Amino acid sequence: MAEGFRLRVCFHKIGRLRFLSHLETGRAWERAARRARLPYAVSQGFTPRMRLAFGPALPVGTAGEREYLDIALTRFVPVAEVEHALHAAIVPELGPVECRYVSPVEGSLASRLTIAVYEVEIEGGSPQQEIERSLVALMGTGRLEVEHKGKQKVFDLATALPKEPEVRSSEGRTVVRMWVRMGEQGSLRPEVFITAAVGTDRVASVTRTDLLIEDDQGWRRPL
Amino acid sequence: MANDLWPQVEKLLGRIERPSRYIDGEWGVLRRPDAAYRVALMYPDTYEVGMANQALQVLAARLATIEDVATERVFLPWVDMAGLMREEDVPLFTLESCMPVADVDLLGITLSNELTYSNVLEALDLARIPLRAADRRESHALVIGGGPSAHNPEPMAPFFDAILVGDGEDAVLEIVASHRASKARGASREETVRALASIEGVYVPSLYSPGADGRMAASAPAPARVRRRVLADLDAYPAPSCPVVPYADVVHDRATVEVLRGCSRGCRFCQAGMVYRPVRERPADSIVRDVVEGLACTGFEEVSLTSLSTADHSQLESVLRRLVGRLEGTGTAISVPSLRVDSFTVPLARLLGDGHKSGLTFAPEAGSQRLRDAINKNITEEEIVTAVDQAFTAGWRRVKLYFMIGLPTETDDDVRAIGALVSRVVSVAREATPKAERGGLRVAVSVSTFVPKAHTPFQWDGQLPFSDVRRRQEMLRDAMPRRGVELSFHDAESSLLEAVLARGGREVADGIEAAWRAGARFDAWSEQFSLTRWLEAFSSIGIDAGEAASRPYAQDEPLPWGHIDSGISEAFLHLERVRAEAATTTPDCTFEDCTGCGVCPGLGVDNVIAEGARRG
């Protein structure tokens, strides 16, 4: 994606559409860009494809409030026009949140987005302090062994969770906010951590609320 | 809206594969929450298979023209989801409003092929609708079938209140109007279906029973023979330009525009080539308009120009040229389902952007000229070889060839001739390919087993007995060249079942129900299919399935589909069968003279050729 204009789209994936896979989400956005008649660039070769690049995949069933994609355009279209066209070309549950042009030479979203912020809603009315104590206790052990698809994996919690989880309670809802580091070895799934801390069948929902770039100045949004 | 099941469905979605099958919410969904009348259109297979079905898109678009009617999609949940639904007491639901299927006014079910029959029973059971029409009460949805397999409706007849034979564009509106009128006057279920029987093309099974002579006898007001419904002119019905755009990777994940209906080539094994007559081409302007509108509305990256034989369209090259011009630089591919070798030209194939990627597909069907003449395929070995030579000279490196074994009059020599033909194709392809590129050369050979079908010249023939099918498959394996050839056989066991279900009468219905009760469903999915289960089910009701598949019908014997009038005259079919025996061919009536099949005078229609004449 080194030529033309690189448009970065922040979008959400909410409601029923949280059940879409990463591949399905990609196809849906490609078709939305066609319907919106954006001046998208296509790759060379026998089977020219739209040049779209996405951030890290969301697990099927997890909602996302600020997901990202980059799309290469062959000519400049004002952001307000792009947003208007995209809103009219995609279902609201997968709609754009904001768009902006970024440098065409910037590293890919997948490589630059390394911190994911999650909110995990916990079922059952345990007091906030009790949940906090469970989380602190688990963090204190320093490591978590996880089995995923038959494979054992050990996470160093200080690396996997670069910030202490926070617990909030209001109107009978208890929500844990977590900051998870994503790396080449994969990332710790928030519901796995919460289940290890407070027991099974307690996770009501998981939402990825933000994706962040980590650099010399600290953490920031890619837009 | 009545009884939204979504909260219950949502709870199951974290526990099953591919939840996007069940969530609705795609682009292009039409919602009418306050509609006075609700139709559910079901394809009895998974979402991925059913969403590819054009007929349901056509019917949904037609029904959408009535403002207070809502149309909802229904597919059969995969076994994991069906298991959970039974466990958690969730009935079969529609996608759009997630309401119980049992609560709609009309449930339309596509009968697209015999291997989905057990799925129809599975769906009715999940929907909690009594399997048999006779057991349904006033409150139950009206269950109506239609589609290619409706041309022999008997094996599924007891499970339907009515079955439409033929084109649905107009009939579906008449069926809905008739049902609404019946409801308005408080008619009983029996009165309702009697009213449907007066609509042309509608077969009401409960009004027919076997007479003393073995033929199905109609009771008033049903006609003695149900005449196939046929549209005179396709151009009055635009292709649905804004169908639902799936998220999931469905079978044919692209926009489709039907460029013509019907085929007059007259292949004697082909049911579609008989029962969709006459040929009705849509003019180039309409096709281009529908493609452009469809792509703009859906955002698909590919469009397929569909029909039984797209390359026969009198204006195809001009359509392709115009589309290639308009779609240049948009990364949009144009495809056609398959090509006949005698209509293949390099310029034509070059216009199909997808050509290099997917290779070309030809269907010689038989290996020897004698057998190709017997089935009226009307292509010569030289035409096959020339097409392959041209394609590989022009840069293609893959070709796929379709053959059948078990065709009537076939001998062992005909089977060996397939191997000889493929050998010749491989050597021609090699000659036409530069030495350095020969490693990537592939000839894929796909071999299926012939299934005799109703309303064809081979309707009296039985299927080749199963043991002979196996023997000829082995013989073909030995006769096939190894290098550069990928040989695959379509499952002969499911072809046996297809034959039983395609050529049987109403007695077969009990076997279908018994097989479903024994666990049969998704028979088109090899990992779910069990021939043993079906053989045992048939044997439990006193039918020997092998015998039912292979027994020929005598010329004077009543055929189970005798009360269905496809428009083709029985005398023509018989004459064609005699010509097959003599390996005499019959020309295509859109290129040469009328062949006297009977469709045009019988149904009051004519071939519609967009540009006056077809290339000869």
Side-chain angles (χ1 to χ4, degrees):
Chain A
M1 277 208 182
E3 61 224 88
F5 300 88
R6 194 200 289 193
L7 181 78
R8 180 158 293 169
V9 179
C10 172
F11 65 97
H12 62 206
K13 184 174 136 185
I14 54 174
R16 326 182 155 200
L17 296 198
R18 71 184 190 278
F19 290 108
L20 297 187
S21 70
H22 191 57
L23 205 68
E24 291 167 340
T25 307
R27 201 159 32 222
W29 263 97
E30 181 172 343
R31 289 171 181 170
R34 284 172 182 274
R35 292 191 293 261
R37 297 175 171 269
L38 297 187
Y40 56 85
V42 294
S43 62
Q44 302 295 307
F46 276 145
T47 52
R49 294 300 301 250
M50 185 182 297
R51 288 165 58 204
L52 269 181
F54 284 80
L58 259 182
V60 174
T62 299
E65 288 175 355
R66 294 187 65 88
E67 299 295 305
Y68 294 92
L69 67 88
D70 283 353
I71 177 167
L73 300 184
T74 56
R75 64 181 167 80
F76 179 81
V77 182
V79 163
E81 265 179 50
V82 172
E83 286 182 347
H84 182 78
L86 285 176
H87 271 294
I90 196 158
V91 297
E93 294 90 341
L94 203 57
V97 176
E98 56 175 321
C99 303
R100 204 178 301 165
Y101 286 96
V102 297
S103 162
V105 294
E106 198 180 293
S108 73
L109 283 168
S111 67
R112 299 217 65 199
L113 292 170
T114 52
I115 304 293
V117 188
Y118 287 94
E119 287 190 358
V120 182
E121 189 178 342
I122 296 181
E123 259 171 9
S126 309
Q128 183 174 336
Q129 290 80 357
E130 202 180 305
I131 290 176
E132 270 168 356
R133 269 197 302 277
S134 314
L135 297 181
V136 169
L138 181 56
M139 288 299 283
T141 64
R143 57 200 294 278
L144 181 60
E145 256 182 66
V146 171
E147 201 187 302
H148 184 61
K149 290 181 179 165
K151 270 190 264 178
Q152 287 288 339
K153 210 163 173 181
V154 181
F155 285 96
D156 171 46
L157 290 179
T159 313
L161 305 177
K163 193 170 164 183
E164 289 280 318
E166 289 173 4
V167 186
R168 285 183 285 125
S169 263
S170 67
E171 294 164 17
R173 290 172 77 237
T174 303
V175 173
V176 181
R177 170 174 284 206
M178 296 171 60
W179 288 262
V180 177
R181 190 184 302 281
M182 298 176 287
E184 275 164 25
Q185 281 77 47
S187 54
L188 176 58
R189 290 181 69 146
E191 62 271 36
V192 171
F193 175 80
I194 298 295
T195 299
V198 303
T200 51
D201 290 334
R202 301 287 304 279
V203 175
S205 72
V206 184
T207 303
R208 186 153 82 185
T209 56
D210 233 335
L211 286 166
L212 304 172
I213 290 175
E214 183 174 32
D215 61 16
D216 303 344
Q217 279 98 58
W219 293 352
R220 63 178 175 86
R221 284 180 172 170
L223 275 186
Chain B
M1 189 154 322
N3 205 351
D4 183 352
L5 295 168
W6 176 251
Q8 286 159 267
V9 171
E10 188 177 24
K11 285 202 184 78
L12 310 180
L13 297 183
R15 302 161 63 188
I16 47 125
E17 283 177 17
R18 304 187 189 211
S20 71
R21 288 166 166 169
Y22 312 104
I23 63 174
D24 183 58
E26 302 97 323
W27 180 259
V29 173
L30 179 66
R31 284 171 213 290
R32 287 188 176 153
D34 304 318
Y37 185 92
R38 309 195 87 82
V39 179
L41 291 180
M42 182 174 87
Y43 189 94
D45 206 313
T46 62
Y47 176 95
E48 290 88 336
V49 177
M51 280 296 288
N53 185 264
Q54 261 178 296
L56 290 184
Q57 295 172 13
V58 168
L59 295 182
R62 291 294 288 163
L63 287 166
T65 62
I66 323 175
E67 255 173 33
D68 59 347
V69 170
T71 305
E72 314 224 352
R73 294 166 296 153
V74 184
F75 302 103
L76 186 63
W78 186 245
V79 293
D80 57 350
M81 183 66 165
L84 273 187
M85 286 164 64
R86 289 194 167 100
E87 218 171 275
E88 304 288 340
D89 207 25
V90 180
L92 187 64
F93 53 92
T94 67
L95 287 184
E96 278 76 3
S97 60
C98 210
M99 68 188 282
V101 169
D103 292 351
V104 301
D105 297 291
L106 189 157
L107 169 60
I109 303 179
T110 299
L111 294 171
S112 67
N113 72 75
E114 292 78 11
L115 294 181
T116 62
Y117 284 178
S118 61
N119 291 354
V120 172
L121 302 201
E122 171 78 348
L124 289 171
D125 183 66
L126 280 171
R128 300 172 189 167
I129 296 173
L131 298 185
R132 296 194 178 237
D135 299 329
R136 292 177 197 141
R137 291 189 307 275
E138 311 302 327
S139 59
H140 290 116
L142 206 55
V143 181
I144 300 191
S149 298
H151 292 95
N152 176 17
E154 285 315 308
M156 290 297 280
F159 310 119
F160 284 91
D161 295 299
I163 294 174
L164 173 69
V165 182
D167 294 334
E169 277 88 343
D170 289 334
V172 72
L173 302 186
E174 292 165 26
I175 289 168
V176 166
S178 167
H179 187 208
R180 295 183 84 175
S182 293
K183 281 174 94 88
R185 62 170 187 269
S188 69
R189 205 173 178 90
E190 199 188 327
E191 289 161 342
T192 301
V193 297
R194 288 167 73 89
L196 290 177
S198 64
I199 297 172
E200 183 157 358
V202 173
Y203 171 56
V204 176
S206 57
L207 299 179
Y208 294 76
S209 53
D213 60 353
R215 295 172 207 276
M216 296 298 271
S219 48
R225 296 188 79 202
V226 176
R227 213 156 72 139
R228 174 171 62 97
R229 192 68 185 260
V230 59
L231 300 181
D233 185 2
L234 215 55
D235 196 34
Y237 305 83
S241 56
C242 263
V244 174
V245 183
Y247 296 115
D249 192 7
V250 304
V251 176
H252 300 297
D253 196 13
R254 55 196 172 216
T256 50
V257 171
E258 186 183 20
V259 298
L260 65 95
R261 194 173 295 177
C263 173
S264 49
R265 291 283 184 169
C267 297
R268 293 179 179 129
F269 57 85
C270 180
Q271 187 187 47
M274 298 290 159
V275 302
Y276 288 107
R277 292 177 180 211
V279 170
R280 289 149 288 165
E281 292 187 357
R282 298 176 68 228
D285 289 349
S286 307
I287 296 168
V288 172
R289 175 200 66 203
D290 290 351
V291 167
V292 170
E293 275 179 19
L295 289 173
C297 187
T298 60
F300 278 119
E301 52 288 317
E302 183 179 342
V303 60
S304 182
L305 304 178
T306 64
S307 77
L308 292 170
S309 68
T310 297
D312 283 340
H313 194 289
S314 58
Q315 297 174 313
L316 184 66
E317 283 206 31
S318 118
V319 166
L320 288 176
R321 271 181 225 291
R322 287 167 65 181
L323 287 178
V324 165
R326 294 191 69 147
L327 300 176
E328 203 185 346
T330 62
T332 310
I334 308 167
S335 62
V336 299
S338 73
L339 291 168
R340 279 181 66 94
V341 291
D342 50 351
S343 51
F344 170 82
T345 62
V346 168
L348 181 97
R350 279 214 190 288
L351 286 167
L352 300 168
D354 209 27
H356 282 86
K357 184 184 67 177
S358 58
L360 290 166
T361 303
F362 297 125
E365 312 291 2
S368 70
Q369 194 60 48
R370 187 206 64 79
L371 188 52
R372 278 197 300 277
D373 290 343
I375 63 175
N376 205 40
K377 188 68 196 180
N378 270 328
I379 54 170
T380 65
E381 180 155 332
E382 284 324 298
E383 284 171 319
I384 298 166
V385 165
T386 306
V388 169
D389 182 35
Q390 286 184 359
F392 281 77
T393 303
W396 271 264
R397 295 294 167 257
R398 293 182 63 85
V399 65
K400 187 169 191 178
L401 303 175
Y402 282 114
F403 292 96
M404 260 190 265
I405 52 175
L407 287 161
T409 78
E410 180 186 81
T411 64
D412 289 358
D413 285 343
D414 294 314
V415 176
R416 287 191 206 97
I418 298 175
L421 176 58
V422 172
S423 294
R424 206 174 153 205
V425 164
V426 171
S427 71
V428 166
R430 282 179 66 79
E431 282 302 306
T433 305
K435 278 206 173 73
E437 294 176 35
R438 286 181 187 167
L441 183 156
R442 284 285 171 281
V443 177
V445 177
S446 176
V447 184
S448 61
T449 310
F450 170 67
V451 178
K453 294 269 167 113
H455 309 285
T456 67
F458 295 152
Q459 65 178 347
W460 294 280
D461 289 272
Q463 190 175 47
L464 184 68
F466 190 69
S467 53
D468 290 335
V469 172
R470 283 278 191 251
R471 192 178 59 80
R472 287 199 175 147
Q473 284 184 341
E474 286 318 306
M475 182 183 294
L476 182 55
R477 219 183 280 281
D478 292 339
M480 194 59 66
R482 299 280 181 275
R483 203 157 65 154
V485 174
E486 288 166 6
L487 174 64
S488 65
F489 288 103
H490 181 80
D491 181 17
E493 296 193 345
S494 46
S495 301
L496 169 67
L497 174 62
E498 261 183 273
V500 179
L501 301 179
R503 56 199 306 273
R506 208 173 273 197
E507 73 287 350
V508 167
D510 290 344
I512 297 170
E513 185 172 339
W516 170 75
R517 291 200 184 279
R521 58 184 159 162
F522 291 111
D523 292 305
W525 298 70
S526 52
E527 76 269 30
Q528 298 288 326
F529 175 67
S530 157
L531 181 64
T532 312
R533 179 159 51 207
W534 277 93
L535 296 180
E536 286 171 3
F538 279 120
S539 137
S540 76
I541 59 149
I543 292 179
D544 177 337
E547 161 75 13
S550 60
R551 181 181 85 85
Y553 288 113
Q555 205 71 66
D556 54 357
E557 193 177 346
L559 295 167
W561 48 89
H563 52 302
I564 303 298
D565 177 9
S566 69
I568 304 250
S569 82
E570 186 141 326
F572 172 77
L573 293 178
H574 185 230
L575 179 61
E576 283 292 288
R577 183 63 186 86
V578 171
R579 288 173 176 155
E581 206 61 43
T584 308
T585 61
T586 299
D588 180 329
C589 65
T590 60
F591 294 82
E592 294 177 39
D593 292 342
C594 170
T595 56
C597 75
V599 166
C600 294
L603 301 180
V605 288
D606 238 320
N607 286 327
V608 179
I609 306 302
E611 206 162 84
R614 285 182 158 185
R615 293 178 289 128

